[in-house]
Amino acid sequence: MPNDRRKTARRSLALLLAAAGCCAALAGCGAAPDPAAPPSDKAPGSRGPSASRTAPSTPAPASTAPENRSLAGRTVVVDPGHNPGNFQHSKEINQKVNIGTNRKECDTTGTSTEAGYAEASFTLDVSHRLRDLLVARGAKVVLTHDADRPWGPCVDERARIGNAARPDAVVSVHADGSAVGNRGFHVILPARVREGAADTAKIVGPSRELGERIADRFARATGTAPSNYLGGGTGLDVRDDLGGLNLSTVPKVFVECGNMRDPKDAKLLTSAAWRQKAAQGIAEGIATYLEG
Ligand code: ZN
C-alpha cells in the first residue's frame, strides 16, 4: 500500500541518518517529530497541554543495548513552574483564583538568579530534559504548558490539566527564591486539606511516597544536599497553600531544585550539565515510585 511504502522509505532514511550520527533529525532523539507517526492529539498552535508520544516508530539499530521501557503504559504530567511571559502579563496573572483553602494569584513570575536567569526558563529546561528521560523509558508525558501561550496557566488550571490526563504521577518543577546562604533542594508535599474544591485525602499518602523517592534520587543524582533552611534536613516540606497541590486528585509534588538567590546554588542551577542531573534524579524518583 502507498502508506506502507512511504513508511518504509522514511524508515530507510531514518536508519541512514542514524548511521550518519544525525540524531536531531530522528524521532526519539529530543523532541523531533516522527514523520511516519500518526498525528498527535495536539493541534498545531494549540494552547492546551502538550502530549509527547510514548514510542518512536523507528526501530533501534541492532547494536543498541536493550532499552529500559519500565514506564510503558504509564502517564506522567510535568508542570514547568511559571511562564517566561508572565512578567509581561501582571494583570492576568494577578487575578485571584480559588485554591480551596484561600483565593490566590493565578500565577506568579517566579524568581531569578542575581545575573537574571529566570526561574521560568529553568523550569522549562529541566521539564524538557525530564520529559525526554521519561519518554525514553516508555512513559506518555503531558506538559501543562510549553511556553506556547503568553502567560500561565493559572495554578487551578495546572491542577485541572494534571487531573484530566489521568496520570500516575504529576511533578511541578521549580527553583526557590530564598535568602543568600539558604541552600539545597526540597520537595513539597500536599497537606491534608478538605475545604471548598480541595480534598487531598486520597493523594496525601501516595504523594509522600512519590516525594520521598524523588528526594532520595535527586540527592544521589546531583550530589547536592537537602535544604538547609526548611524540612529539618529531610528535603521534604508539607504545604496547604498551593493550589496546584490542593486541587490535585492524583499524586503530585513540587520539586524546588535549589535556591536561585544563593550564588553557590545559582552556579549549579545555571549549569546545563547539572540540570541534566537534576532531571535524571527526578526521573529516577518517579520511576522507582511507579515501579513499586
Ligand atoms: Zn516557582
CSV table of all heavy atoms in Angstrom, one decimal, residues 175-203:
chain,number,residue,atom,x,y,z
A,175,ALA,N,12.3,26.3,41.1
A,175,ALA,CA,13.5,26.6,41.9
A,175,ALA,C,13.1,27.8,42.9
A,175,ALA,O,12.3,28.6,42.5
A,175,ALA,CB,14.7,27.1,41.1
A,176,ASP,N,13.7,27.8,44.0
A,176,ASP,CA,13.2,28.7,45.1
A,176,ASP,C,13.9,30.1,45.0
A,176,ASP,O,14.9,30.2,44.3
A,176,ASP,CB,13.5,28.0,46.5
A,176,ASP,CG,12.6,28.5,47.5
A,176,ASP,OD1,11.7,29.3,47.2
A,176,ASP,OD2,12.7,28.0,48.7
A,177,GLY,N,13.3,31.0,45.7
A,177,GLY,CA,13.9,32.4,45.8
A,177,GLY,C,14.0,32.8,47.3
A,177,GLY,O,13.2,33.5,47.8
A,178,SER,N,15.0,32.2,47.9
A,178,SER,CA,15.2,32.5,49.4
A,178,SER,C,16.5,33.3,49.6
A,178,SER,O,17.2,33.7,48.7
A,178,SER,CB,15.2,31.1,50.1
A,178,SER,OG,15.2,31.3,51.5
A,179,ALA,N,16.8,33.5,50.9
A,179,ALA,CA,17.9,34.3,51.3
A,179,ALA,C,19.3,33.7,50.9
A,179,ALA,O,19.4,32.4,50.8
A,179,ALA,CB,17.9,34.6,52.8
A,180,VAL,N,20.3,34.5,50.7
A,180,VAL,CA,21.6,34.0,50.4
A,180,VAL,C,22.1,33.2,51.6
A,180,VAL,O,21.8,33.6,52.8
A,180,VAL,CB,22.6,35.2,50.2
A,180,VAL,CG1,24.1,34.7,50.1
A,180,VAL,CG2,22.2,36.0,49.0
A,181,GLY,N,22.7,32.1,51.4
A,181,GLY,CA,23.1,31.1,52.4
A,181,GLY,C,22.1,30.0,52.6
A,181,GLY,O,22.5,29.0,53.2
A,182,ASN,N,20.9,30.2,52.2
A,182,ASN,CA,19.9,29.1,52.2
A,182,ASN,C,20.2,28.3,51.0
A,182,ASN,O,20.1,28.8,49.8
A,182,ASN,CB,18.5,29.7,52.2
A,182,ASN,CG,18.1,30.3,53.5
A,182,ASN,OD1,18.8,30.1,54.5
A,182,ASN,ND2,17.0,31.0,53.6
A,183,ARG,N,20.5,27.0,51.2
A,183,ARG,CA,20.9,26.2,50.0
A,183,ARG,C,20.2,24.9,50.0
A,183,ARG,O,19.6,24.4,51.0
A,183,ARG,CB,22.4,25.9,50.1
A,183,ARG,CG,23.2,27.2,50.0
A,183,ARG,CD,24.7,26.9,49.6
A,183,ARG,NE,24.7,26.1,48.3
A,183,ARG,CZ,25.7,25.4,47.9
A,183,ARG,NH1,26.8,25.4,48.6
A,183,ARG,NH2,25.7,24.8,46.7
A,184,GLY,N,20.2,24.2,48.8
A,184,GLY,CA,19.7,22.9,48.7
A,184,GLY,C,18.3,22.8,48.1
A,184,GLY,O,17.6,23.7,48.0
A,185,PHE,N,18.0,21.5,47.8
A,185,PHE,CA,16.7,21.2,47.2
A,185,PHE,C,15.7,20.8,48.2
A,185,PHE,O,16.0,20.4,49.3
A,185,PHE,CB,16.8,20.1,46.1
A,185,PHE,CG,17.0,18.8,46.8
A,185,PHE,CD1,15.9,18.0,47.1
A,185,PHE,CD2,18.3,18.3,47.1
A,185,PHE,CE1,16.1,16.7,47.7
A,185,PHE,CE2,18.5,17.1,47.7
A,185,PHE,CZ,17.4,16.3,48.0
A,186,HIS,N,14.4,21.0,47.9
A,186,HIS,CA,13.4,20.3,48.7
A,186,HIS,C,12.2,20.0,47.8
A,186,HIS,O,12.0,20.5,46.8
A,186,HIS,CB,13.0,21.2,49.9
A,186,HIS,CG,12.3,22.5,49.6
A,186,HIS,ND1,12.9,23.6,49.2
A,186,HIS,CD2,11.0,22.8,49.6
A,186,HIS,CE1,12.1,24.6,49.1
A,186,HIS,NE2,10.9,24.1,49.3
A,187,VAL,N,11.4,19.0,48.3
A,187,VAL,CA,10.2,18.5,47.6
A,187,VAL,C,9.0,18.9,48.5
A,187,VAL,O,9.0,18.6,49.7
A,187,VAL,CB,10.3,17.0,47.4
A,187,VAL,CG1,9.0,16.5,46.7
A,187,VAL,CG2,11.5,16.6,46.6
A,188,ILE,N,8.0,19.5,47.9
A,188,ILE,CA,6.8,20.0,48.6
A,188,ILE,C,5.7,19.0,48.4
A,188,ILE,O,5.4,18.6,47.3
A,188,ILE,CB,6.4,21.4,48.1
A,188,ILE,CG1,7.5,22.4,48.2
A,188,ILE,CG2,5.2,21.8,49.0
A,188,ILE,CD1,7.2,23.7,47.7
A,189,LEU,N,5.2,18.5,49.5
A,189,LEU,CA,4.1,17.5,49.5
A,189,LEU,C,2.8,18.2,49.9
A,189,LEU,O,2.7,19.1,50.7
A,189,LEU,CB,4.4,16.4,50.6
A,189,LEU,CG,5.8,15.9,50.6
A,189,LEU,CD1,5.9,14.9,51.8
A,189,LEU,CD2,6.2,15.2,49.3
A,190,PRO,N,1.6,17.6,49.4
A,190,PRO,CA,0.3,18.2,49.7
A,190,PRO,C,0.0,17.9,51.2
A,190,PRO,O,0.2,16.8,51.7
A,190,PRO,CB,-0.6,17.5,48.8
A,190,PRO,CG,0.0,16.3,48.4
A,190,PRO,CD,1.5,16.5,48.4
A,191,ALA,N,-0.6,18.9,51.9
A,191,ALA,CA,-1.1,18.7,53.2
A,191,ALA,C,-2.5,18.1,53.1
A,191,ALA,O,-3.1,18.1,52.0
A,191,ALA,CB,-1.2,20.0,54.0
A,192,ARG,N,-3.0,17.6,54.2
A,192,ARG,CA,-4.3,17.1,54.3
A,192,ARG,C,-5.3,18.3,54.3
A,192,ARG,O,-5.3,19.0,55.2
A,192,ARG,CB,-4.5,16.2,55.5
A,192,ARG,CG,-5.9,15.6,55.7
A,192,ARG,CD,-5.9,14.2,55.0
A,192,ARG,NE,-7.2,13.6,55.0
A,192,ARG,CZ,-7.5,12.5,55.6
A,192,ARG,NH1,-6.5,11.8,56.2
A,192,ARG,NH2,-8.7,12.0,55.5
A,193,VAL,N,-6.0,18.4,53.2
A,193,VAL,CA,-6.9,19.6,53.0
A,193,VAL,C,-8.3,19.1,52.6
A,193,VAL,O,-8.4,18.3,51.7
A,193,VAL,CB,-6.3,20.6,52.0
A,193,VAL,CG1,-7.3,21.6,51.6
A,193,VAL,CG2,-5.0,21.2,52.4
A,194,ARG,N,-9.3,19.6,53.3
A,194,ARG,CA,-10.7,19.4,52.8
A,194,ARG,C,-11.5,20.6,53.0
A,194,ARG,O,-12.0,20.9,54.1
A,194,ARG,CB,-11.3,18.2,53.6
A,194,ARG,CG,-12.6,17.7,52.9
A,194,ARG,CD,-13.1,16.5,53.6
A,194,ARG,NE,-14.4,16.1,52.9
A,194,ARG,CZ,-15.2,15.2,53.4
A,194,ARG,NH1,-14.8,14.5,54.5
A,194,ARG,NH2,-16.3,14.9,52.7
A,195,GLU,N,-11.5,21.4,52.0
A,195,GLU,CA,-12.1,22.7,52.1
A,195,GLU,C,-12.5,23.2,50.7
A,195,GLU,O,-11.6,23.2,49.8
A,195,GLU,CB,-11.1,23.7,52.7
A,195,GLU,CG,-11.7,24.9,53.3
A,195,GLU,CD,-10.7,25.7,54.1
A,195,GLU,OE1,-9.8,25.1,54.7
A,195,GLU,OE2,-10.8,26.9,54.2
A,196,GLY,N,-13.7,23.6,50.5
A,196,GLY,CA,-14.2,24.0,49.1
A,196,GLY,C,-13.9,23.0,48.1
A,196,GLY,O,-14.3,21.8,48.2
A,197,ALA,N,-13.2,23.4,47.0
A,197,ALA,CA,-13.0,22.4,45.9
A,197,ALA,C,-11.8,21.5,46.2
A,197,ALA,O,-11.5,20.6,45.4
A,197,ALA,CB,-12.7,23.3,44.7
A,198,ALA,N,-11.1,21.7,47.3
A,198,ALA,CA,-9.9,20.9,47.6
A,198,ALA,C,-10.3,19.7,48.6
A,198,ALA,O,-10.9,19.9,49.6
A,198,ALA,CB,-8.9,21.8,48.3
A,199,ASP,N,-9.8,18.6,48.2
A,199,ASP,CA,-9.9,17.4,49.0
A,199,ASP,C,-8.7,16.5,48.7
A,199,ASP,O,-8.7,15.8,47.7
A,199,ASP,CB,-11.2,16.6,48.8
A,199,ASP,CG,-11.3,15.5,49.8
A,199,ASP,OD1,-10.4,15.2,50.6
A,199,ASP,OD2,-12.4,14.9,49.8
A,200,THR,N,-7.7,16.5,49.5
A,200,THR,CA,-6.4,15.8,49.2
A,200,THR,C,-6.3,14.5,50.0
A,200,THR,O,-5.2,13.9,49.9
A,200,THR,CB,-5.2,16.7,49.6
A,200,THR,OG1,-5.2,17.0,51.0
A,200,THR,CG2,-5.2,18.0,48.8
A,201,ALA,N,-7.4,14.1,50.6
A,201,ALA,CA,-7.3,12.8,51.5
A,201,ALA,C,-6.7,11.7,50.7
A,201,ALA,O,-5.8,10.9,51.2
A,201,ALA,CB,-8.7,12.5,52.0
A,202,LYS,N,-7.1,11.5,49.4
A,202,LYS,CA,-6.6,10.3,48.7
A,202,LYS,C,-5.2,10.4,48.2
A,202,LYS,O,-4.6,9.4,47.8
A,202,LYS,CB,-7.6,10.0,47.5
A,202,LYS,CG,-8.9,9.5,48.0
A,202,LYS,CD,-9.8,9.2,46.8
A,202,LYS,CE,-11.1,8.7,47.3
A,202,LYS,NZ,-12.2,8.8,46.2
A,203,ILE,N,-4.7,11.7,48.1
A,203,ILE,CA,-3.4,11.8,47.4
A,203,ILE,C,-2.2,12.1,48.4
A,203,ILE,O,-1.1,12.0,48.0
A,203,ILE,CB,-3.4,12.9,46.4
A,203,ILE,CG1,-3.6,14.3,47.0
A,203,ILE,CG2,-4.4,12.6,45.3
A,203,ILE,CD1,-3.1,15.4,46.1
